[in-house]
Amino acid sequence: MIEILNGFLLIYFLILCSLSALVPILVKPIVACFSRPSYEERKLWDEILTLKNEQKEISMKDEFAAYSKLQRKINKLESELKENSQARLSKSIAVKGTVHIVLQAVIAFIVIISVICFRREPIVALHANLFPFSTILKYPSETPNAISTHMWVIMSNISIRTLLKPIVP
């Protein structure tokens, strides 16, 4: 039987551990805001499509010079577009790494500060005696057969990451 001694802290640390485990999923929409194609890239893409449509209307056999001229323009624009998209991709990777590290650091900082502030608060109490583990589980709390904040965070983190392993890459 389990008795919840501090429900607020129980939920609080579950949410923090869940957020920490879900950071890779949370990073994707944030990075998507920064890595959208620019106006120039969209304009280049539209121009390429227009030139390709013009090229389809020209007979390659009858007007080879005009067809080749359009093909050279298309190739030039496609190489420009490729360079721009590679630059955007490298920027996106840098932003993704930075956002991931910052989010993990902020959540870790909040968890550490919270564990320090609530270190003597027991989260749950067990009615059974878990000797020899009861001393480790309750430290630094003085409540017998309790699970301290430290242990609750460790157990929650391991449990949540194990449960979310199939979802989170």
Side-chain angles (χ1 to χ4, degrees), residues 3-8 10 121-126 141 143-144 146-147:
E3 179 184 348
I4 298 174
L5 300 177
N6 200 331
F8 168 75
L10 183 134
E121 295 287 325
I123 304 290
V124 295
L126 306 170
S141 171
T143 309
I147 296 177

Side-chain angles (χ1 to χ4, degrees), residues 55-93:
Q55 192 179 34
K56 283 180 186 176
E57 295 172 4
I58 298 173
S59 171
M60 187 175 174
K61 288 181 181 178
D62 298 338
E63 300 176 47
F64 182 75
Y67 187 89
S68 295
K69 186 177 179 183
L70 282 175
Q71 186 62 46
R72 285 191 299 275
K73 279 185 180 178
I74 291 171
N75 291 343
K76 181 182 174 196
L77 291 175
E78 283 179 342
S79 68
E80 266 185 66
L81 184 65
K82 186 177 179 182
E83 288 173 11
N84 289 346
S85 63
Q86 285 177 345
R88 183 173 40 91
L89 180 64
S90 63
K91 177 186 169 191
S92 168
I93 291 170

Side-chain angles (χ1 to χ4, degrees), residues 44-164:
L44 279 173
W45 184 249
D46 290 340
E47 195 172 337
I48 289 170
L49 291 177
T50 305
L51 289 174
K52 283 187 178 184
N53 286 336
E54 283 180 32
Q55 192 179 34
K56 283 180 186 176
E57 295 172 4
I58 298 173
S59 171
M60 187 175 174
K61 288 181 181 178
D62 298 338
E63 300 176 47
F64 182 75
Y67 187 89
S68 295
K69 186 177 179 183
L70 282 175
Q71 186 62 46
R72 285 191 299 275
K73 279 185 180 178
I74 291 171
N75 291 343
K76 181 182 174 196
L77 291 175
E78 283 179 342
S79 68
E80 266 185 66
L81 184 65
K82 186 177 179 182
E83 288 173 11
N84 289 346
S85 63
Q86 285 177 345
R88 183 173 40 91
L89 180 64
S90 63
K91 177 186 169 191
S92 168
I93 291 170
V95 168
K96 183 177 180 180
T98 304
V99 169
H100 190 276
I101 290 169
V102 167
L103 280 177
Q104 284 289 19
V106 167
I107 293 171
F109 180 74
I110 292 170
V111 168
I112 290 169
I113 295 299
S114 299
V115 166
I116 291 170
C117 290
F118 300 112
R119 67 181 171 271
R120 298 210 182 273
E121 295 287 325
I123 304 290
V124 295
L126 306 170
H127 291 291
N129 189 2
L130 297 174
F131 181 80
F133 302 113
S134 58
T135 307
I136 296 170
L137 290 174
K138 75 174 185 174
Y139 180 79
S141 171
E142 297 300 323
T143 309
N145 298 323
I147 296 177
S148 69
T149 305
H150 300 80
M151 284 300 173
W152 182 255
V153 169
I154 291 169
M155 290 186 294
S156 297
N157 221 343
I158 291 170
S159 302
I160 289 170
R161 288 182 188 276
T162 303
L163 289 172
L164 294 177

Side-chain angles (χ1 to χ4, degrees), residues 18-34:
S18 298
L19 282 174
S20 176
L22 293 173
V23 164
I25 293 174
L26 297 173
V27 166
K28 289 179 184 176
I30 295 170
V31 172
C33 294
F34 294 104

